[in-house]
Amino acid sequence: MPRTARITISRPALRHNLQHVRTLAPAARAWAVVKADAYGHGLEALLPVLDAADGLALVEFDRAQWLREYGWRKPILMLEGAFEPADVELAARIGLSLTVHEPRQIDWLSAVPPHNGLDIHLKLNSGMNRLGFAAAEYRAAWQRLRALQSVTDITLMTHFANADLADGVSQALAVFDQVMQGLGGERSLANSAAIIDWPAAHRDWVRPGIMLYGASPFGSRSAASLGLEPVMRFESRLIGRQRLAAGDAVGYGSTFVADRPMSIGIVACGYADGYPRHAPTGTPIAVCGVRTRTIGRVSMDMLAIDLEPVPQAVVGSPVELWGEQVPVDEVAASAGTVGYELTCAIAPRVLRHVTDDGTR
Ligand SMILES: *Cc1c(COP(=O)(O)O)cnc(C)c1O
């Protein structure tokens, strides 16, 4: 019998979230951001729905090549651009749009034969100080690219460091607009947080990631309050029950000690499945559709939960680690991280299931 830890991926939820992007940014085209195997959701199963996007954006060249072999014909944008000259050749051969964020990548482009029609997204560092040309260097880079016959289009691009914070884009947006003054070409700036909060940043192409998967880009606003539906449900079952007396401890390190008699359940899911080990006692979890809390330390294959609010729970009862009853963002907040990290960390041994209707 397989272990019971599994994820269920809802294609209708993805469709809804993509439609929500269209509603928020009706005039822009949308790159669906699918790096890290669609934030851990599994890209292949999502492609029939993502076909409604205008293109896919990711960072892994092997995956881009797989997409072309699989039959994806729409644009593909490489968000970190080429890592070596061979990537430029591949991009020219199979038609990948390339981000350019540093001079060496322009050197590589110069070596490509002139008939290849490359589509370039030239990245400005607008304050994040991760990738991109500084404001003072940007126009020179643009001119170098413009002079290359192999380059047909240059989209003007940046990425916000603080779009999830109050007034988090105005400074970066001002830098962007100042640097781009008089330059032709389309504009691409907005991630999920900017799509939701900063219509002035929508421009020609938006780049939604986390919101497509139904998690929140904001620390303090729930995905549900943003009109998003969770695409991933992570669930397992109870494989044990214990009755504790006052003073009994639970798990490695005995970090939880019962202060009264209580029932606990043992769930077949641990950090080797992708559940965060740092989730402390009190992290929300649901059993039999009732919310309760984890207790003690998460171990490799198991974790313990409080069954006091759920007396009907028995060995075999269904447990939701995250999904509709327990938003992934709540588990993430409890564990001191973000929903992005949790969905990306689902382990290979977890069973995967895809649904096209409400049933699981
Ligand atoms: C990952 C990424 C995005 C998507 O960000 P979300 O916060 O998930 O919407 C957009 N643009 C770039 C350059 C990225 O790397």
Side-chain angles (χ1 to χ4, degrees):
M1 199 185 109
R3 283 179 82 253
T4 56
R6 69 170 198 169
I7 57 170
T8 303
I9 298 298
S10 166
R11 285 196 281 227
L14 177 69
R15 190 172 294 117
H16 167 88
N17 298 333
L18 180 55
Q19 184 53 46
H20 197 53
V21 172
R22 298 298 195 190
T23 305
L24 290 171
R29 275 161 292 155
W31 294 108
V33 180
V34 297
K35 59 202 181 197
D37 201 21
Y39 291 36
H41 290 69
L43 177 55
E44 183 171 356
L46 302 184
L47 286 175
V49 178
L50 292 175
D51 205 36
D54 297 289
L56 299 180
L58 70 173
V59 299
E60 304 91 349
F61 277 88
D62 56 346
R63 209 60 176 139
Q65 199 165 10
W66 171 85
L67 274 167
R68 286 293 184 233
E69 284 159 11
Y70 193 85
W72 179 266
R73 308 220 178 287
K74 287 182 169 180
I76 298 175
L77 170 62
M78 306 311 295
L79 290 167
E80 293 179 339
F83 300 93
E84 55 181 7
D87 295 338
V88 176
E89 283 161 38
L90 179 67
R93 185 153 51 80
I94 66 175
L96 307 177
S97 304
L98 289 176
T99 300
V100 166
H101 60 80
E102 59 114 29
R104 201 170 60 142
Q105 293 174 323
I106 306 181
D107 300 340
W108 298 339
L109 285 166
S110 313
V112 172
H115 59 273
N116 278 309
L118 281 164
D119 178 43
I120 299 300
H121 284 232
L122 182 60
K123 190 164 186 180
L124 169 73
N125 171 10
S126 59
M128 189 176 200
N129 290 310
R130 200 174 60 175
L131 296 182
F133 289 88
E137 298 159 359
Y138 189 91
R139 295 177 79 96
W142 187 89
Q143 267 147 9
R144 261 189 89 191
L145 282 171
R146 188 73 290 169
L148 297 179
Q149 283 183 12
S150 52
V151 172
T152 25
D153 285 297
I154 306 175
T155 298
L156 314 177
M157 177 193 186
T158 195
H159 188 54
F160 296 120
N162 299 313
D164 55 327
L165 304 180
D167 200 28
V169 310
S170 46
Q171 203 182 337
L173 202 54
V175 171
F176 182 87
D177 284 334
Q178 209 226 322
V179 172
M180 306 307 172
Q181 227 165 41
L183 294 185
E186 296 182 322
R187 269 79 168 150
S188 177
L189 304 87
N191 57 3
S192 295
I195 291 166
I196 294 165
D197 268 3
W198 307 103
H202 289 172
R203 310 293 169 97
D204 302 297
W205 284 92
V206 294
R207 304 190 305 268
I210 196 71
M211 69 183 294
L212 292 178
Y213 308 105
S216 174
F218 305 104
S220 54
R221 282 147 76 190
S222 72
S225 76
L226 301 170
L228 303 172
E229 294 176 7
V231 174
M232 179 187 290
R233 182 184 198 199
F234 188 19
E235 62 195 326
S236 189
R237 290 187 182 274
L238 287 187
I239 57 167
R241 254 187 90 109
Q242 303 287 345
R243 185 71 196 162
L244 305 184
D248 284 350
V250 177
Y252 287 120
S254 299
T255 59
F256 178 86
V257 178
D259 61 0
R260 72 199 76 173
M262 66 184 287
S263 293
I264 66 163
I266 304 302
V267 183
C269 181
Y271 60 78
D273 297 297
Y275 194 87
R277 185 178 174 280
H278 287 104
T281 291
T283 299
I285 191 164
V287 55
C288 301
V290 178
R291 280 173 60 117
T292 178
R293 59 176 182 145
T294 66
I295 56 178
R297 258 186 212 155
V298 173
S299 50
M300 189 182 289
D301 310 311
M302 283 172 266
L303 56 87
I305 64 175
D306 183 352
L307 289 185
E308 288 301 294
V310 209
Q312 69 272 33
V314 293
V315 169
S317 288
V319 174
E320 183 183 287
L321 289 314
W322 59 72
E324 275 154 20
Q325 293 148 6
V326 181
V328 66
D329 298 311
E330 285 189 35
V331 178
S334 179
T337 182
V338 288
Y340 300 74
E341 186 181 8
L342 296 190
T343 63
C344 285
I346 293 291
R349 77 177 186 183
V350 173
L351 301 174
R352 286 168 182 265
H353 179 74
V354 177
T355 178
D356 280 311
D357 55 38
T359 62
R360 305 280 181 169

